[in-house]
Amino acid sequence: IHAEIPKYSPTREAMGYQQWGALEAMLFGLRYIADSVDTDETSMIRNMIEMLPELPEEPNIKYMKLMTLGQYARFLSHHPDLMMDIGASLIFDGLSDSQVARAAAVALKQVAQFCQYSLPLEFFNKWDQSTVESFNLNLRIDEECEVLAAISICILEMVTVLVVCE
């Protein structure tokens, strides 16, 4: 995938389906194999996660980036540095975008469930007031439920982390 990135224009207007369709398919393939990836693997999967922010901001690609990140929550639980450096910004930015908020919520739920004991409290500190204010999106009711479920899981995990720390 990393070799394919330069072929794609970063703007939605300049990007046609022929361009982003192949990239979306590659991300789908990576998402499909997530459960079989060894959590101790340190180069290929790390590189794949590190290149996610470099991918175009086209809504279909952004959606698939978030879904892929969520599928790798088990892997990320063993690599909290990746979650802090890359995952948090992708997820919280996605929650403020109505086109991908549902995918961001799914990723957040998966990360909160798999990474509950490995996420440092700083992860939740990245969830600032501007992120919360941006939840006033025009979402369908099922999308709102997905976002609210993710938020509730995170609140539960924050309380768990605080109790364990005491």
Side-chain angles (χ1 to χ4, degrees), residues 19 32-33 40 47 51 53 100 105 109 114 120 124 136 147 154:
Q19 287 185 310
Y32 184 77
I33 64 165
D40 293 330
N47 289 340
M51 66 90 198
V100 297
K109 279 184 0 186
F114 276 97
F124 298 106
N136 190 10
V147 171
C154 284

Side-chain angles (χ1 to χ4, degrees), residues 4-16 19-20 23 52-62 65 97 99:
E4 295 290 314
I5 293 173
K7 295 180 184 178
Y8 300 96
S9 169
T11 63
R12 180 178 184 183
E13 295 79 24
M15 221 177 163
Q19 287 185 310
W20 62 256
L23 187 55
L52 288 177
E54 298 174 35
L55 296 177
E57 290 296 306
E58 198 283 329
N60 292 310
I61 299 299
K62 197 171 179 181
K65 285 193 291 190
D97 180 346
Q99 292 181 304

